[in-house]
């Protein structure tokens, strides 16, 4: 896909929830907020993305053992009220017990994902919509049937079978793809609503997937500048 001509920042909703994995959302945020439209990598005056954290409550503790307490920019209800403003939704993961609790009770997090991925992809501000899951965040995306039929997704290598079970229960015909050390994320293309579905393997795979997402907006060369800036060896191959 060729990068769009507009330089207006893409709005990114970053979902956070209690005991969610910190690097799953913080890593992609670091990448995307260091991605620019500028043709000179030293300028950095035209940001490609603008992030907004979203949670079911205004204050939320993330990471194991209440490692970090954050104040979300928006509640999920507020995000639902302004859903058309967002181009991207990032869905982090956590321990499978945390994720399956969110799945099992039809949580607000699940409702947000379902609402975002049933919008028409070209509607709202900025054109194409994209959902990016990291680690076991794919369980929420699969449970919301966000992948639709005939698409591919991946997750942490210890959660492949669980993702298959969740998708089967949601009647979502998703092929679970196993990642490798060089192929760390999957671009499944667009679902029935025209929303692009990208999923990454465990934790650090989100860095590579976020760089890939950045490349769709600003081009591969500029995304490569971001990788150099954060000193990350970008594994570009798509599983």
């Amino acid at each position: 896909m060729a990068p769009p001509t507009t330089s207006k920042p893409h709005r990114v909703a970053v979902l956070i929830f209690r005991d969610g994995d910190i690097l799953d959302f913080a890593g992609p945020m670091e990448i995307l907020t260091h991605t620019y439209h500028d043709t000179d990598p030293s300028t950095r005056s035209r940001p490609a993305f603008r992030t907004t954290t979203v949670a079911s409550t205004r204050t939320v503790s993330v990471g194991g053992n209440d490692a970090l307490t954050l104040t979300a920019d928006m509640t999920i209800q507020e995000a639902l009220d302004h859903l058309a403003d967002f181009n991207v939704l990032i869905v982090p993961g956590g321990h499978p017990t945390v994720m399956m609790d969110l799945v099992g009770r039809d949580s607000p997090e699940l409702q947000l994902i379902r609402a975002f991925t049933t919008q028409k992809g070209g509607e709202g501000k900025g054109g194409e919509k994209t959902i990016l899951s990291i680690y076991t965040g794919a369980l929420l995306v699969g449970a919301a049937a966000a992948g639709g039929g005939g698409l591919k997704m991946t997750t942490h290598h210890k959660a492949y079978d669980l993702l298959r079970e969740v998708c089967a229960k949601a009647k979502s015909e998703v092929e679970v793809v196993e990642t490798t050390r060089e192929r760390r994320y999957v671009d499944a293309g667009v679902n029935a609503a025209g929303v692009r579905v990208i999923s990454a393997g465990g934790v650090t795979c989100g860095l590579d997937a976020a760089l890939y997402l950045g490349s769709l907006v600003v081009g591969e060369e500029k995304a490569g500048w971001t990788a150099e800036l954060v000193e990350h060896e970008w594994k570009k191959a798509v599983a």
Side-chain angles (χ1 to χ4, degrees), residues 9 19 28 47 49 70 72 74 76 90 105 107-108 119-120 132 146 149 157:
D19 296 330
F49 298 93
L70 299 175
M74 275 189 181
I76 287 178
I90 292 179
R105 57 186 172 87
S107 61
Q119 297 180 101
K120 291 297 182 182
L132 166 60
H157 65 274

Side-chain angles (χ1 to χ4, degrees), residues 8 11 33 50 57 62 79 105 131 138 165 196 215 222 239:
K8 185 176 182 179
R11 292 285 305 277
T33 55
R50 175 184 168 194
T57 56
V62 297
R105 57 186 172 87
I131 186 166
E165 293 173 13
R196 182 172 295 275
S215 75
K222 293 173 185 175

Side-chain angles (χ1 to χ4, degrees), residues 17-142:
F17 45 84
R18 183 170 178 81
D19 296 330
D21 190 89
I22 296 171
L23 188 57
D24 283 6
F25 67 85
M29 287 181 74
E30 185 76 7
I31 295 296
L32 296 180
T33 55
H34 284 83
T35 301
Y36 295 86
H37 287 285
D38 301 88
T39 55
D40 181 349
S42 65
T43 306
R44 295 184 297 186
S45 63
R46 297 161 58 206
F49 298 93
R50 175 184 168 194
T51 60
T52 300
T53 53
V54 178
S56 61
T57 56
R58 188 66 70 178
T59 303
V60 58
S61 294
V62 297
N65 300 315
D66 295 332
L68 179 65
T69 299
L70 299 175
T71 301
D73 298 314
M74 275 189 181
T75 65
I76 287 178
Q77 185 56 58
E78 290 169 338
L80 287 168
D81 292 340
H82 297 87
L83 207 56
D85 293 344
F86 292 101
N87 307 95
V88 179
L89 175 60
I90 292 179
V91 184
H95 191 277
T97 56
V98 172
M99 307 309 293
M100 293 309 293
D101 174 66
L102 296 175
V103 169
R105 57 186 172 87
D106 195 29
S107 61
E109 291 82 359
L110 202 60
Q111 294 169 29
L112 175 66
I113 294 167
R114 189 177 294 121
F116 183 86
T117 54
T118 53
Q119 297 180 101
K120 291 297 182 182
E123 290 182 355
K125 302 175 181 178
E128 183 178 86
K129 304 280 186 175
T130 301
I131 186 166
L132 166 60
S133 67
I134 301 94
Y135 182 37
T136 50
L139 299 175
L140 287 177
V141 178

